[in-house]
Amino acid sequence: MGLEFEEITKEVIGAAFDVHTELGYGFLEKVYQRAMVVELDSRGIAAESEKGIQVIYKNQIVGDYFADLLVESKVVVELKVALNYNPNDEAQLLNEMKATGIRVGLLVNFGKTKVEFKRFVRSEKSS
């Protein structure tokens, strides 16, 4: 048995490498975000950028924010542009996964010399 949504996450990671190869390092996050949507679309993968997420607490909306990418309505992708991958960025992705109920997420950093990424899966018991 493979990883949950393994094919989708492989396509996202491959798209990130292609975008980084073409654009290199140093653009604003929005440029990479838009390029990722174009690249994923060219691969036949549906991706929504700036997908709105509502945070609910005791049946009340207590916050709104936006995921960088929601891929195939199954994988949340958080994009960063930094010299190196920063584990401090993981909390934002984990919160987006929790708020949406989506179990699989990718944190992708468009670094100076390479793309770095980490895949996350929330357990069934997480709420």
Side-chain angles (χ1 to χ4, degrees):
M1 186 165 109
L3 298 172
E4 188 171 3
F5 305 128
E6 181 175 11
E7 289 305 313
I8 295 170
T9 56
K10 280 184 179 178
E11 288 291 341
V12 172
I13 293 163
F17 276 93
D18 286 353
V19 166
H20 191 270
T21 298
E22 183 74 25
L23 295 178
Y25 174 74
F27 287 100
L28 295 174
E29 189 177 294
K30 290 279 183 220
V31 172
Y32 295 103
Q33 181 183 45
R34 291 175 185 139
M36 286 291 292
V37 171
V38 170
E39 183 61 33
L40 289 166
D41 183 60
S42 75
R43 295 166 180 245
I45 306 290
E48 299 174 75
S49 64
E50 293 296 316
K51 178 67 176 174
I53 296 171
Q54 292 184 327
V55 180
I56 309 285
Y57 177 75
K58 294 190 176 184
N59 297 318
Q60 298 287 321
I61 297 170
V62 296
D64 292 293
Y65 59 97
F66 300 90
D68 288 337
L69 295 174
L70 181 59
V71 181
E72 295 286 330
S73 298
K74 296 175 182 167
V75 177
V76 177
V77 180
E78 183 61 32
L79 303 175
K80 298 296 178 188
V81 179
L83 289 175
N84 297 298
Y85 181 93
N86 185 347
N88 293 330
D89 294 328
E90 295 172 3
Q92 182 179 357
L93 173 62
L94 293 170
N95 286 336
E96 290 171 0
M97 292 167 64
K98 184 175 184 178
T100 59
I102 290 175
R103 293 181 21 83
V104 178
L106 284 172
L107 179 58
V108 177
N109 181 58
F110 289 91
K112 184 168 184 170
T113 60
K114 62 184 176 181
V115 172
E116 298 170 289
F117 61 90
K118 188 169 180 182
R119 186 181 196 276
F120 295 85
V121 179
R122 286 180 2 106
S123 69
E124 293 285 344
K125 295 176 184 161
S126 295
S127 57

